Amino acid sequence: MAEAFRVSYSYRSLPPVTVAHSTVHNYREKPVRTDVAPLGGEVRLMSREQPRGATDPVEFATVGLGWDPAHGRRWFGARRTAIDLNAAAVLLAGDDPVEVVYHQQLISADGAVRLLGDSVNGEDEGDDEIITLDLTRVRPEITTVAVVVTCYSGQTFADIDNARCRVTGADGTVIADRELGAGSHTGMVVGVFRRERDGWEFREIAAGITAAHPVEALPHLAGLLR
């Protein structure tokens, strides 16, 4: 197995996380929105009326994350804190996280997984964040790609309206369409793409976790991916 190295960071006094072959940047300050061109042209997100599920192996997929922005004021006139959800893809070799595609690393090393932009307030039309996956290009040692949503601004999902994550195939087939719920969690492991003998398959998990940043989600994955 390739040698892993320890990544230290100082956000909310969290312990170090071991990640093989991955550089996780210090994330105390989040950058403004950036955009990356999708692989293979236009990204099409289909409506919920599309048939759900994929019977054939998945080669190309899109993950769309959307939520309503915070509006209005709290008591005594204080403005509501902007809601900043993050979509991320964690690439694993077996049980070991190798790389994370998120707002500070928009493209995987092999170019197969791309985050097309980072919304910091949910005010975009349609899906606020989009990840594209060309699973035919994922390097051989990667066996799993986990789809994770976290709330960078710290609100629980009970404080967020209409948060939704949808996974679609290349032909527009809706593979998964999940409301993120109204629980006390600040993140969710939506599901995983697994490399099987006949190709890649998607399995929905929809497990709430406590995580404000994708790196904080890593310790939760081992128990959920078995």
Coordinates of all heavy atoms in Angstrom, one line a residue, residues 11-110:
Y11 N -8.8 23.8 12.3 CA -10.2 24.3 12.2 C -11.0 23.7 13.3 O -11.1 22.5 13.4 CB -10.8 24.0 10.8 CG -12.2 24.4 10.6 CD1 -12.5 25.8 10.4 CD2 -13.2 23.5 10.7 CE1 -13.8 26.2 10.1 CE2 -14.5 24.0 10.5 CZ -14.8 25.3 10.2 OH -16.1 25.7 10.0
R12 N -11.5 24.4 14.2 CA -12.3 23.9 15.4 C -11.6 22.9 16.2 O -12.2 21.9 16.7 CB -13.7 23.3 14.8 CG -14.5 24.4 14.1 CD -15.9 23.8 13.8 NE -16.8 24.8 13.3 CZ -18.0 24.6 12.9 NH1 -18.5 23.4 13.1 NH2 -18.7 25.5 12.4
S13 N -10.2 23.0 16.2 CA -9.4 22.2 17.1 C -9.6 20.7 16.8 O -9.7 19.8 17.6 CB -9.7 22.4 18.6 OG -9.5 23.8 18.9
L14 N -9.8 20.4 15.5 CA -10.0 19.0 15.1 C -8.7 18.2 15.1 O -7.6 18.8 14.8 CB -10.6 19.0 13.7 CG -12.0 19.5 13.6 CD1 -12.4 19.7 12.1 CD2 -13.0 18.6 14.3
P15 N -8.7 16.9 15.3 CA -7.5 16.1 15.2 C -7.0 16.0 13.8 O -7.8 16.1 12.8 CB -7.9 14.7 15.8 CG -9.4 14.7 15.5 CD -9.9 16.1 15.6
P16 N -5.7 15.6 13.6 CA -5.2 15.4 12.3 C -5.9 14.2 11.6 O -6.4 13.3 12.2 CB -3.7 15.1 12.5 CG -3.4 15.6 13.8 CD -4.7 15.5 14.6
V17 N -6.0 14.2 10.3 CA -6.6 13.2 9.5 C -5.5 12.6 8.5 O -4.8 13.4 7.9 CB -7.8 13.7 8.6 CG1 -8.3 12.6 7.7 CG2 -8.9 14.2 9.6
T18 N -5.4 11.3 8.4 CA -4.4 10.7 7.5 C -5.1 10.5 6.2 O -6.1 9.8 6.1 CB -4.0 9.4 8.1 OG1 -3.3 9.6 9.3 CG2 -3.0 8.7 7.2
V19 N -4.5 11.0 5.1 CA -5.0 10.9 3.8 C -3.8 10.4 2.9 O -2.8 11.1 2.9 CB -5.6 12.2 3.2 CG1 -6.1 12.0 1.8 CG2 -6.7 12.7 4.2
A20 N -3.9 9.4 2.1 CA -2.9 8.9 1.2 C -2.9 9.7 0.0 O -3.9 9.9 -0.6 CB -3.1 7.4 0.9
H21 N -1.7 10.2 -0.4 CA -1.5 10.9 -1.7 C -2.4 12.1 -1.9 O -3.0 12.4 -2.9 CB -1.8 10.0 -2.9 CG -0.8 8.9 -3.0 ND1 0.6 9.1 -3.1 CD2 -0.9 7.5 -3.0 CE1 1.2 8.0 -3.2 NE2 0.3 7.0 -3.1
S22 N -2.7 12.9 -0.8 CA -3.6 14.0 -1.0 C -3.1 15.2 -0.1 O -2.6 15.0 1.0 CB -5.0 13.7 -0.5 OG -5.9 14.8 -0.6
T23 N -3.1 16.4 -0.7 CA -2.8 17.6 0.0 C -4.1 18.3 0.4 O -4.8 18.7 -0.5 CB -1.9 18.5 -0.8 OG1 -0.7 17.8 -1.1 CG2 -1.5 19.8 0.0
V24 N -4.4 18.4 1.6 CA -5.6 19.1 2.1 C -5.2 20.5 2.6 O -4.4 20.6 3.5 CB -6.3 18.4 3.2 CG1 -7.5 19.1 3.6 CG2 -6.7 17.0 2.7
H25 N -5.6 21.6 1.9 CA -5.2 22.9 2.3 C -5.8 23.4 3.6 O -6.8 22.9 4.0 CB -5.6 23.9 1.1 CG -5.1 23.5 -0.2 ND1 -3.8 23.8 -0.6 CD2 -5.7 22.8 -1.2 CE1 -3.6 23.3 -1.8 NE2 -4.7 22.7 -2.2
N26 N -5.1 24.3 4.2 CA -5.7 25.0 5.3 C -7.0 25.7 4.9 O -7.0 26.4 3.9 CB -4.7 26.0 5.9 CG -5.2 26.7 7.2 OD1 -6.3 27.3 7.2 ND2 -4.5 26.5 8.2
Y27 N -8.1 25.5 5.6 CA -9.4 26.0 5.1 C -10.1 27.0 6.0 O -11.3 27.0 6.1 CB -10.3 24.9 4.7 CG -10.6 23.9 5.8 CD1 -11.6 24.0 6.7 CD2 -9.8 22.7 5.9 CE1 -11.8 23.1 7.7 CE2 -10.0 21.8 6.9 CZ -11.0 22.0 7.8 OH -11.3 21.1 8.8
R28 N -9.3 27.7 6.8 CA -9.9 28.7 7.7 C -10.6 29.8 6.9 O -11.5 30.4 7.4 CB -8.9 29.2 8.7 CG -8.6 28.2 9.8 CD -7.4 28.7 10.7 NE -6.2 28.7 9.9 CZ -5.1 29.1 10.5 NH1 -5.0 29.6 11.7 NH2 -3.9 29.1 9.8
E29 N -10.0 30.1 5.7 CA -10.6 31.2 4.9 C -11.1 30.5 3.6 O -10.3 29.9 2.9 CB -9.6 32.3 4.6 CG -9.2 33.0 5.9 CD -8.3 34.2 5.6 OE1 -8.1 34.4 4.3 OE2 -7.8 34.9 6.5
K30 N -12.3 30.7 3.3 CA -12.9 30.1 2.1 C -12.8 31.0 0.9 O -13.1 32.2 1.0 CB -14.3 29.6 2.3 CG -14.9 28.8 1.1 CD -16.2 28.3 1.5 CE -16.7 27.4 0.3 NZ -18.0 26.8 0.6
P31 N -12.3 30.6 -0.3 CA -12.2 31.5 -1.4 C -13.6 31.8 -2.0 O -14.6 31.2 -1.7 CB -11.4 30.7 -2.4 CG -11.7 29.2 -2.1 CD -11.9 29.2 -0.6
V32 N -13.6 32.8 -2.9 CA -14.9 33.2 -3.5 C -15.2 32.2 -4.6 O -14.4 31.3 -4.9 CB -14.7 34.6 -4.2 CG1 -14.5 35.6 -3.1 CG2 -13.6 34.6 -5.2
R33 N -16.4 32.3 -5.2 CA -16.8 31.3 -6.1 C -15.9 31.3 -7.4 O -15.4 32.3 -7.9 CB -18.2 31.6 -6.6 CG -18.7 30.6 -7.7 CD -20.1 31.0 -8.2 NE -20.5 30.1 -9.2 CZ -21.2 29.0 -9.0 NH1 -21.5 28.6 -7.8 NH2 -21.5 28.2 -10.0
T34 N -15.5 30.0 -7.8 CA -14.8 29.8 -9.0 C -15.5 28.8 -9.8 O -16.3 28.0 -9.3 CB -13.3 29.4 -8.7 OG1 -13.4 28.2 -7.8 CG2 -12.5 30.4 -8.0
D35 N -15.2 28.8 -11.1 CA -15.9 27.9 -12.0 C -14.9 27.1 -12.9 O -13.9 27.6 -13.3 CB -16.8 28.7 -12.9 CG -18.0 29.3 -12.2 OD1 -18.8 28.5 -11.6 OD2 -18.1 30.5 -12.1
V36 N -15.2 25.9 -13.2 CA -14.4 25.0 -14.0 C -15.3 24.5 -15.1 O -16.4 24.1 -14.9 CB -13.8 23.9 -13.2 CG1 -13.1 22.9 -14.1 CG2 -12.8 24.4 -12.2
A37 N -14.8 24.4 -16.3 CA -15.6 23.9 -17.5 C -15.8 22.4 -17.3 O -15.0 21.7 -16.9 CB -14.9 24.1 -18.8
P38 N -17.1 21.9 -17.6 CA -17.4 20.5 -17.4 C -16.7 19.7 -18.5 O -16.3 20.2 -19.5 CB -18.9 20.4 -17.6 CG -19.2 21.6 -18.4 CD -18.2 22.7 -18.0
L39 N -16.5 18.4 -18.1 CA -16.0 17.4 -19.1 C -17.1 17.1 -20.2 O -18.3 16.9 -19.8 CB -15.6 16.1 -18.5 CG -14.3 16.2 -17.6 CD1 -14.2 14.9 -16.8 CD2 -13.1 16.4 -18.5
G40 N -16.7 17.1 -21.4 CA -17.7 16.6 -22.4 C -18.8 17.5 -22.8 O -19.8 17.0 -23.3
G41 N -18.7 18.8 -22.5 CA -19.7 19.7 -23.0 C -20.7 20.0 -21.9 O -20.5 20.0 -20.7
E42 N -21.9 20.3 -22.3 CA -23.0 20.8 -21.5 C -23.4 19.8 -20.4 O -23.5 18.6 -20.7 CB -24.2 21.1 -22.3 CG -25.4 21.7 -21.6 CD -26.6 21.9 -22.4 OE1 -26.5 21.6 -23.6 OE2 -27.6 22.4 -21.9
V43 N -23.7 20.3 -19.2 CA -24.2 19.5 -18.1 C -25.8 19.6 -18.1 O -26.3 20.7 -18.1 CB -23.7 19.9 -16.8 CG1 -24.4 19.2 -15.6 CG2 -22.2 19.7 -16.7
R44 N -26.5 18.5 -18.3 CA -27.9 18.6 -18.3 C -28.5 17.9 -17.0 O -28.2 16.8 -16.7 CB -28.5 17.8 -19.5 CG -28.1 18.4 -20.8 CD -28.8 17.7 -22.0 NE -28.5 16.3 -22.0 CZ -29.4 15.3 -21.8 NH1 -30.6 15.6 -21.6 NH2 -29.0 14.0 -21.9
L45 N -29.2 18.7 -16.2 CA -29.9 18.2 -15.0 C -31.4 18.0 -15.3 O -32.1 19.0 -15.6 CB -29.6 19.1 -13.8 CG -28.2 19.3 -13.4 CD1 -28.1 20.2 -12.3 CD2 -27.6 17.9 -13.0
M46 N -31.8 16.8 -15.2 CA -33.2 16.5 -15.5 C -34.1 16.7 -14.4 O -33.7 16.7 -13.2 CB -33.3 15.0 -16.0 CG -32.2 14.7 -17.1 SD -32.3 15.7 -18.6 CE -33.9 15.1 -19.3
S47 N -35.4 16.7 -14.7 CA -36.4 16.9 -13.6 C -36.7 15.6 -12.9 O -36.3 14.6 -13.3 CB -37.8 17.4 -14.3 OG -38.3 16.3 -15.0
R48 N -37.4 15.8 -11.7 CA -37.6 14.6 -10.9 C -38.6 13.6 -11.5 O -38.8 12.6 -11.1 CB -38.2 15.1 -9.5 CG -37.1 15.5 -8.6 CD -37.7 15.9 -7.3 NE -38.4 17.2 -7.4 CZ -39.2 17.7 -6.4 NH1 -39.4 17.0 -5.3 NH2 -39.8 18.9 -6.5
E49 N -39.3 14.0 -12.6 CA -40.2 13.2 -13.3 C -39.5 12.1 -14.1 O -40.1 11.2 -14.7 CB -41.1 14.0 -14.2 CG -42.2 14.7 -13.5 CD -41.7 15.9 -12.7 OE1 -40.7 16.5 -13.1 OE2 -42.3 16.2 -11.6
Q50 N -38.2 12.2 -14.3 CA -37.4 11.2 -15.1 C -37.4 9.9 -14.3 O -37.5 9.8 -13.1 CB -36.0 11.7 -15.2 CG -35.8 12.9 -16.1 CD -36.2 12.6 -17.6 OE1 -35.8 11.5 -18.0 NE2 -36.8 13.5 -18.3
P51 N -37.4 8.7 -15.0 CA -37.3 7.5 -14.3 C -36.1 7.3 -13.5 O -35.0 7.8 -13.9 CB -37.3 6.5 -15.5 CG -36.8 7.2 -16.7 CD -37.3 8.6 -16.5
R52 N -36.2 6.7 -12.3 CA -35.2 6.6 -11.3 C -34.5 5.3 -11.4 O -35.0 4.3 -11.8 CB -35.7 6.9 -9.9 CG -36.3 8.2 -9.7 CD -36.6 8.4 -8.3 NE -35.5 8.4 -7.4 CZ -35.5 8.6 -6.1 NH1 -36.7 9.0 -5.6 NH2 -34.4 8.5 -5.4
G53 N -33.2 5.3 -11.1 CA -32.4 4.1 -11.1 C -31.6 3.8 -12.3 O -32.0 4.3 -13.4
A54 N -30.5 3.1 -12.2 CA -29.7 2.8 -13.3 C -29.5 1.3 -13.3 O -28.9 0.7 -12.4 CB -28.4 3.5 -13.3
T55 N -29.9 0.6 -14.4 CA -29.8 -0.8 -14.4 C -28.4 -1.2 -15.0 O -27.9 -2.3 -14.7 CB -30.9 -1.5 -15.3 OG1 -30.9 -0.9 -16.6 CG2 -32.2 -1.2 -14.6
D56 N -27.8 -0.4 -15.8 CA -26.5 -0.7 -16.5 C -25.4 0.0 -15.6 O -25.7 0.9 -14.9 CB -26.5 -0.2 -17.9 CG -27.5 -0.9 -18.8 OD1 -27.7 -2.1 -18.5 OD2 -28.1 -0.2 -19.7
P57 N -24.2 -0.5 -15.8 CA -23.1 0.2 -15.1 C -23.0 1.7 -15.5 O -23.4 2.1 -16.6 CB -21.9 -0.5 -15.6 CG -22.4 -1.9 -16.0 CD -23.8 -1.7 -16.5
V58 N -22.6 2.5 -14.5 CA -22.6 3.9 -14.7 C -21.2 4.3 -15.3 O -20.2 3.9 -14.7 CB -22.8 4.7 -13.4 CG1 -22.8 6.2 -13.6 CG2 -24.2 4.2 -12.8
E59 N -21.2 5.1 -16.4 CA -19.9 5.6 -16.9 C -19.7 7.1 -16.7 O -18.6 7.5 -16.4 CB -19.8 5.2 -18.4 CG -19.7 3.7 -18.7 CD -19.5 3.4 -20.2 OE1 -19.7 4.4 -21.0 OE2 -19.1 2.3 -20.5
F60 N -20.8 7.8 -16.8 CA -20.8 9.2 -16.6 C -21.9 9.6 -15.7 O -23.0 9.1 -15.8 CB -20.9 10.0 -18.0 CG -19.9 9.6 -19.0 CD1 -20.2 8.6 -19.9 CD2 -18.7 10.2 -19.0 CE1 -19.3 8.2 -20.9 CE2 -17.7 9.8 -20.0 CZ -18.0 8.8 -20.9
A61 N -21.7 10.5 -14.8 CA -22.7 10.9 -13.8 C -22.5 12.4 -13.4 O -21.4 12.9 -13.6 CB -22.6 10.0 -12.6
T62 N -23.6 13.0 -13.0 CA -23.6 14.4 -12.5 C -24.3 14.4 -11.1 O -25.3 13.8 -10.9 CB -24.4 15.3 -13.5 OG1 -23.8 15.3 -14.7 CG2 -24.4 16.7 -12.9
V63 N -23.6 15.1 -10.2 CA -24.2 15.3 -8.9 C -24.6 16.8 -8.8 O -23.8 17.7 -9.0 CB -23.2 15.0 -7.8 CG1 -23.8 15.3 -6.4 CG2 -22.8 13.5 -7.9
G64 N -25.9 17.0 -8.5 CA -26.4 18.4 -8.4 C -26.8 18.7 -7.0 O -27.6 17.9 -6.4
L65 N -26.3 19.7 -6.4 CA -26.7 20.1 -5.0 C -27.4 21.5 -5.0 O -26.8 22.4 -5.6 CB -25.5 20.1 -4.1 CG -25.7 20.7 -2.7 CD1 -26.6 19.9 -1.8 CD2 -24.3 20.9 -2.0
G66 N -28.5 21.6 -4.4 CA -29.2 22.9 -4.4 C -29.8 23.1 -3.0 O -30.2 22.2 -2.3
W67 N -30.0 24.4 -2.7 CA -30.6 24.8 -1.4 C -31.1 26.2 -1.5 O -30.6 27.0 -2.3 CB -29.7 24.6 -0.2 CG -28.5 25.6 -0.2 CD1 -28.4 26.7 0.5 CD2 -27.2 25.4 -0.8 NE1 -27.2 27.3 0.4 CE2 -26.5 26.5 -0.5 CE3 -26.7 24.5 -1.7 CZ2 -25.2 26.7 -1.0 CZ3 -25.4 24.7 -2.2 CH2 -24.7 25.8 -1.8
D68 N -32.0 26.6 -0.6 CA -32.5 28.0 -0.6 C -31.6 28.9 0.2 O -31.1 28.4 1.3 CB -33.9 28.0 0.1 CG -35.0 27.5 -0.9 OD1 -34.7 27.2 -2.0 OD2 -36.1 27.3 -0.4
P69 N -31.3 30.1 -0.2 CA -30.5 31.0 0.6 C -31.2 31.5 1.8 O -32.4 31.4 1.9 CB -30.3 32.2 -0.4 CG -31.4 32.1 -1.3 CD -31.8 30.7 -1.5
A70 N -30.4 32.0 2.8 CA -31.0 32.5 4.0 C -31.5 33.9 3.7 O -30.8 34.7 3.1 CB -29.9 32.6 5.1
H71 N -32.8 34.2 4.1 CA -33.3 35.5 3.9 C -33.9 36.1 5.2 O -34.2 35.4 6.1 CB -34.5 35.5 2.8 CG -34.0 35.2 1.5 ND1 -33.1 36.0 0.8 CD2 -34.3 34.2 0.6 CE1 -32.9 35.6 -0.4 NE2 -33.5 34.4 -0.6
G72 N -34.0 37.4 5.2 CA -34.7 38.0 6.4 C -33.7 38.3 7.5 O -32.5 38.1 7.4
R73 N -34.3 38.6 8.7 CA -33.5 38.9 9.8 C -34.0 38.1 11.0 O -35.1 37.7 11.1 CB -33.6 40.4 10.2 CG -32.9 41.3 9.1 CD -33.2 42.8 9.5 NE -32.6 43.7 8.5 CZ -31.3 44.2 8.7 NH1 -30.6 43.8 9.7 NH2 -30.8 45.0 7.8
R74 N -33.1 37.9 12.0 CA -33.4 37.3 13.2 C -34.0 38.3 14.2 O -34.1 39.5 13.8 CB -32.2 36.6 13.9 CG -31.6 35.5 13.0 CD -30.5 34.8 13.8 NE -29.9 33.8 13.0 CZ -30.3 32.5 12.9 NH1 -31.4 32.2 13.5 NH2 -29.7 31.7 12.1
W75 N -34.3 37.9 15.4 CA -34.8 38.9 16.4 C -33.7 39.9 16.6 O -32.6 39.7 16.5 CB -35.1 38.2 17.7 CG -36.2 37.2 17.6 CD1 -36.2 35.8 17.6 CD2 -37.6 37.6 17.6 NE1 -37.5 35.3 17.5 CE2 -38.4 36.4 17.5 CE3 -38.3 38.8 17.6 CZ2 -39.8 36.3 17.5 CZ3 -39.7 38.8 17.6 CH2 -40.4 37.5 17.5
F76 N -34.2 41.1 17.0 CA -33.3 42.3 17.2 C -32.6 42.8 16.0 O -31.6 43.5 16.1 CB -32.3 42.0 18.4 CG -32.9 41.5 19.6 CD1 -32.7 40.2 20.0 CD2 -33.8 42.2 20.4 CE1 -33.3 39.6 21.1 CE2 -34.4 41.7 21.5 CZ -34.1 40.4 21.9
G77 N -33.0 42.4 14.8 CA -32.5 42.9 13.6 C -31.3 42.3 13.0 O -30.8 42.8 12.0
A78 N -30.7 41.3 13.7 CA -29.5 40.7 13.2 C -29.7 39.9 11.9 O -30.7 39.2 11.8 CB -28.9 39.8 14.2
R79 N -28.9 40.1 10.9 CA -29.0 39.4 9.7 C -28.7 37.9 9.8 O -27.9 37.5 10.6 CB -28.1 40.0 8.6 CG -28.5 41.3 8.1 CD -27.6 41.7 6.9 NE -28.0 43.0 6.4 CZ -29.0 43.2 5.5 NH1 -29.6 42.2 5.1 NH2 -29.3 44.4 5.1
R80 N -29.5 37.1 9.1 CA -29.2 35.7 9.1 C -27.9 35.3 8.4 O -27.5 36.0 7.4 CB -30.3 34.9 8.4 CG -31.7 35.0 9.2 CD -32.7 34.2 8.5 NE -34.0 34.3 9.1 CZ -34.4 33.5 10.1 NH1 -33.6 32.5 10.5 NH2 -35.6 33.6 10.7
T81 N -27.2 34.4 8.9 CA -25.9 34.0 8.3 C -26.1 33.3 7.0 O -27.0 32.4 6.9 CB -25.1 33.1 9.3 OG1 -24.9 33.7 10.5 CG2 -23.8 32.6 8.7
A82 N -25.4 33.6 6.0 CA -25.5 33.0 4.7 C -25.3 31.5 4.9 O -24.4 31.0 5.6 CB -24.6 33.6 3.7
I83 N -26.1 30.7 4.1 CA -25.9 29.2 4.2 C -25.0 28.8 3.1 O -25.2 29.1 1.9 CB -27.3 28.6 4.0 CG1 -28.2 29.0 5.1 CG2 -27.1 27.0 3.9 CD1 -29.7 28.6 4.9
D84 N -23.9 28.1 3.4 CA -22.9 27.7 2.5 C -22.7 26.2 2.6 O -22.0 25.6 3.4 CB -21.6 28.4 2.8 CG -20.5 28.1 1.8 OD1 -20.7 27.3 0.9 OD2 -19.4 28.6 2.0
L85 N -23.4 25.4 1.7 CA -23.2 24.0 1.6 C -22.1 23.7 0.6 O -21.9 24.4 -0.3 CB -24.5 23.3 1.2 CG -25.7 23.4 2.1 CD1 -26.9 22.5 1.5 CD2 -25.4 22.9 3.5
N86 N -21.5 22.6 0.8 CA -20.4 22.1 -0.1 C -20.7 20.7 -0.6 O -21.0 19.8 0.2 CB -19.1 22.1 0.7 CG -18.4 23.4 0.8 OD1 -18.7 24.3 0.0 ND2 -17.7 23.6 1.9
A87 N -20.6 20.5 -1.9 CA -20.6 19.2 -2.4 C -19.2 18.7 -2.6 O -18.3 19.5 -3.0 CB -21.3 19.2 -3.8
A88 N -18.9 17.5 -2.3 CA -17.5 17.0 -2.4 C -17.6 15.5 -2.9 O -18.5 14.8 -2.6 CB -16.8 17.1 -1.1
A89 N -16.5 15.1 -3.5 CA -16.3 13.7 -3.9 C -15.0 13.2 -3.3 O -13.9 13.8 -3.5 CB -16.3 13.6 -5.4
V90 N -15.1 12.1 -2.5 CA -13.9 11.6 -1.9 C -13.5 10.3 -2.6 O -14.3 9.4 -2.7 CB -14.2 11.2 -0.4 CG1 -13.0 10.6 0.3 CG2 -14.7 12.4 0.4
L91 N -12.3 10.3 -3.2 CA -11.8 9.1 -3.9 C -11.0 8.2 -3.0 O -10.1 8.7 -2.3 CB -10.9 9.6 -5.1 CG -11.6 10.2 -6.3 CD1 -12.3 11.5 -6.0 CD2 -10.6 10.4 -7.4
L92 N -11.4 7.0 -2.9 CA -10.8 6.0 -2.0 C -10.2 4.8 -2.8 O -10.7 4.4 -3.8 CB -11.8 5.5 -1.0 CG -12.5 6.5 -0.1 CD1 -13.9 6.8 -0.6 CD2 -12.6 6.0 1.3
A93 N -9.1 4.3 -2.2 CA -8.5 3.0 -2.7 C -8.8 2.0 -1.5 O -8.2 2.1 -0.5 CB -7.1 3.2 -2.9
G94 N -9.7 1.2 -1.7 CA -10.2 0.3 -0.6 C -10.9 1.2 0.5 O -11.8 2.0 0.2
D95 N -10.4 1.1 1.7 CA -10.9 2.0 2.8 C -10.1 3.3 3.0 O -10.5 4.1 3.8 CB -10.9 1.2 4.1 CG -11.8 0.0 4.1 OD1 -12.8 0.1 3.4 OD2 -11.6 -1.0 4.9
D96 N -9.1 3.5 2.1 CA -8.2 4.6 2.4 C -8.5 5.8 1.5 O -8.5 5.7 0.2 CB -6.7 4.2 2.1 CG -6.3 3.1 3.0 OD1 -6.7 3.1 4.2 OD2 -5.5 2.2 2.6
P97 N -8.9 7.0 2.1 CA -9.1 8.2 1.3 C -7.7 8.6 0.6 O -6.7 8.6 1.2 CB -9.5 9.2 2.3 CG -9.9 8.5 3.5 CD -9.1 7.2 3.5
V98 N -7.8 8.8 -0.7 CA -6.7 9.2 -1.5 C -6.7 10.7 -1.9 O -5.7 11.3 -1.9 CB -6.6 8.3 -2.8 CG1 -5.4 8.8 -3.7 CG2 -6.4 6.8 -2.4
E99 N -7.9 11.1 -2.2 CA -8.0 12.5 -2.8 C -9.4 13.0 -2.5 O -10.4 12.2 -2.5 CB -7.7 12.5 -4.3 CG -7.6 13.8 -4.9 CD -7.2 13.7 -6.4 OE1 -7.3 12.6 -7.0 OE2 -6.8 14.7 -7.0
V100 N -9.6 14.3 -2.3 CA -10.9 14.9 -2.1 C -11.0 16.0 -3.2 O -10.2 16.9 -3.2 CB -11.0 15.5 -0.7 CG1 -12.4 16.1 -0.5 CG2 -10.7 14.4 0.3
V101 N -12.1 16.0 -3.9 CA -12.5 17.1 -4.8 C -13.5 17.9 -4.1 O -14.6 17.4 -3.8 CB -13.0 16.5 -6.2 CG1 -13.5 17.7 -7.1 CG2 -12.0 15.7 -6.9
Y102 N -13.1 19.2 -3.9 CA -14.0 20.1 -3.1 C -13.6 21.5 -3.5 O -13.0 21.7 -4.5 CB -13.9 19.8 -1.6 CG -12.5 20.1 -1.0 CD1 -12.4 21.1 0.0 CD2 -11.3 19.5 -1.5 CE1 -11.2 21.4 0.6 CE2 -10.1 19.9 -0.9 CZ -10.0 20.8 0.1 OH -8.8 21.1 0.7
H103 N -14.1 22.5 -2.7 CA -13.9 23.9 -3.1 C -12.5 24.4 -3.2 O -12.3 25.5 -3.8 CB -14.8 24.8 -2.2 CG -14.3 24.9 -0.8 ND1 -14.8 24.0 0.2 CD2 -13.4 25.7 -0.2 CE1 -14.2 24.3 1.3 NE2 -13.4 25.3 1.1
Q104 N -11.6 23.7 -2.6 CA -10.2 24.1 -2.8 C -9.3 23.2 -3.7 O -8.2 23.4 -3.9 CB -9.5 24.2 -1.4 CG -10.0 25.4 -0.6 CD -9.3 25.5 0.8 OE1 -9.5 24.7 1.6 NE2 -8.6 26.6 1.0
Q105 N -9.9 22.1 -4.2 CA -9.3 21.3 -5.2 C -10.4 20.9 -6.2 O -11.1 19.9 -5.9 CB -8.6 20.1 -4.6 CG -8.0 19.2 -5.6 CD -7.2 18.0 -5.0 OE1 -6.6 18.2 -4.0 NE2 -7.3 16.9 -5.7
L106 N -10.6 21.6 -7.2 CA -11.8 21.5 -8.1 C -11.7 20.3 -9.0 O -12.8 19.9 -9.6 CB -12.0 22.8 -8.9 CG -12.2 24.1 -8.0 CD1 -12.4 25.3 -9.0 CD2 -13.4 23.9 -7.1
I107 N -10.5 19.8 -9.3 CA -10.4 18.7 -10.2 C -9.5 17.6 -9.6 O -8.5 17.9 -9.0 CB -9.7 19.2 -11.5 CG1 -10.5 20.4 -12.1 CG2 -9.6 18.1 -12.6 CD1 -9.9 21.1 -13.3
S108 N -9.9 16.4 -9.8 CA -9.0 15.3 -9.4 C -7.8 15.2 -10.2 O -7.7 15.7 -11.3 CB -9.8 13.9 -9.4 OG -10.2 13.6 -10.8
A109 N -6.8 14.5 -9.7 CA -5.5 14.4 -10.4 C -5.6 13.8 -11.7 O -4.8 14.2 -12.7 CB -4.5 13.6 -9.5
D110 N -6.5 12.9 -11.9 CA -6.7 12.2 -13.2 C -7.7 13.0 -14.1 O -7.9 12.6 -15.3 CB -7.1 10.8 -13.1 CG -8.3 10.6 -12.2 OD1 -9.1 11.6 -12.1 OD2 -8.6 9.5 -11.7

